[in-house]
Amino acid sequence: GEDVEQSLFLSVREGDSSVINCTYTDSSSTYLYWYKQEPGAGLQLLTYIFSNMDMKQDQRLTVLLNKKDKHLSLRIADTQTGDSAIYFCAETMEYGNKLVFGAGTILRVKS
Amino acid sequence: DVKVTQSSRYLVKRTGEKVFLECVQDMDHENMFWYRQDPGLGLRLIYFSYDVKMKEKGDIPEGYSVSREKKERFSLILESASTNQTSMYLCASSLETARYGYTFGSGTRLTVV
C-alpha cells in the first residue's frame, strides 16, 4: 500500500540551509506536498509539486522531485529560528481524495 | 481567507464522558477529515466524509464516531472518553479531489483525566 517516510529530526544552525527528505512508495503519486506545523497549531500548506515537474522554487523554499527514486526534498535557504517546526511530506494520486502523510520531521534551528 | 474552524483549542474531560469536537469549514469543500496526532506517530486518520451524511472509517476509528448533517460541519464524537484518547485532534477539508491539498484547522488539544 501507500507509504511515505521521513527522517524524524534535523538540527541546523541559523543561516545554514536545511534539507528535509521524504520517500514514497506509490509510483502513481501525482501530487506531492510539504506542510509546516508550528508548535500547538494546525498544518499549513507550504508548497506542492506535480509529478511532471522536477523542481519548484518559491522564495527560500526549493522542492526537488526524483521520480525514479521516489524521493522528494525540501530545501530551506538561510534557515531562521522561525522555521523551527514539524514538516510533513504528503502525496496523492490524480483523482485521489485522500492525502497520505509522512510521520513528520522536526526541524530545530539553533541561533 | 478560507478557513477551517475547530470549536475549542483546549479541552479537559473526565473518563467516561461523551465528548463532541466540532469542525466547520467555509470553503464549500466536499471532503472533511478527522486526524489525531501523537508524538512519534504522525497523523492518523480517524474518519473522513465525502459528502453530507456519508462517512468512511479511517485507520483508527475504534472509540470514535462522526456526524455530518450539513456540508460545512463535521463532528467527531468520543462515545465514552478514555485516557488513551488524550491527544491533539486535527480537522481538515478538501475539494472532491485532494489535488490542491487539505486546509487544516488549528487543532484541539484534548486531555482526558
Side-chain angles (χ1 to χ4, degrees), chain A residues 18-36:
Chain A
S18 308
V19 179
I20 302 170
N21 294 301
C22 169
T23 57
Y24 57 97
T25 57
D26 192 343
S27 57
S28 56
S29 296
T30 308
Y31 301 89
L32 297 120
Y33 310 84
W34 283 104
Y35 281 84
K36 176 184 181 183

Side-chain angles (χ1 to χ4, degrees), chain A residues 30-93:
Chain A
T30 308
Y31 301 89
L32 297 120
Y33 310 84
W34 283 104
Y35 281 84
K36 176 184 181 183
Q37 184 183 32
E38 295 180 356
L43 277 69
Q44 170 195 358
L45 180 62
L46 270 184
T47 187
Y48 60 91
I49 189 168
F50 301 139
S51 61
N52 61 357
M53 301 165 66
D54 297 322
M55 185 181 88
K56 181 178 180 182
Q57 188 148 5
D58 183 2
Q59 298 182 330
R60 292 190 297 121
L61 305 179
T62 303
V63 178
L64 294 177
L65 176 60
N66 181 328
K67 289 184 286 292
K68 176 175 170 289
D69 294 337
K70 297 188 193 120
H71 182 266
L72 182 74
S73 67
L74 174 70
R75 179 177 181 268
I76 305 172
D78 186 25
T79 312
Q80 303 297 307
T81 55
D83 295 322
S84 292
I86 305 175
Y87 291 81
F88 291 90
C89 168
E91 59 89 14
T92 192
M93 294 182 289

Side-chain angles (χ1 to χ4, degrees), chain B residues 21-106:
Chain B
L21 302 183
E22 305 287 345
C23 175
V24 177
Q25 50 97 1
D26 64 0
M27 296 163 285
D28 202 34
H29 280 174
E30 287 80 12
N31 301 337
M32 296 188 76
F33 307 85
W34 275 106
Y35 288 87
R36 66 176 282 177
Q37 182 180 17
D38 301 288
L41 297 178
L43 300 173
R44 291 184 290 169
L45 181 63
I46 305 170
Y47 268 96
F48 58 101
S49 169
Y50 298 131
D51 200 351
V52 176
K53 297 191 187 295
M54 303 292 287
K55 60 185 179 186
E56 297 276 346
K57 292 180 180 179
D59 301 317
I60 51 162
E62 296 78 20
Y64 303 94
S65 62
V66 290
S67 171
R68 194 164 181 204
E69 296 296 319
K70 293 185 178 180
K71 190 175 185 180
E72 66 270 20
R73 186 181 296 270
F74 192 36
S75 303
L76 180 70
I77 303 153
L78 285 66
E79 297 291 341
S80 177
S82 63
T83 53
N84 63 12
Q85 291 178 310
T86 291
S87 187
M88 173 72 133
Y89 289 88
L90 292 164
C91 176
S93 71
S94 77
L95 292 168
E96 189 175 6
T97 66
R99 69 172 75 179
Y100 300 108
Y102 293 173
T103 302
F104 280 87
S106 300

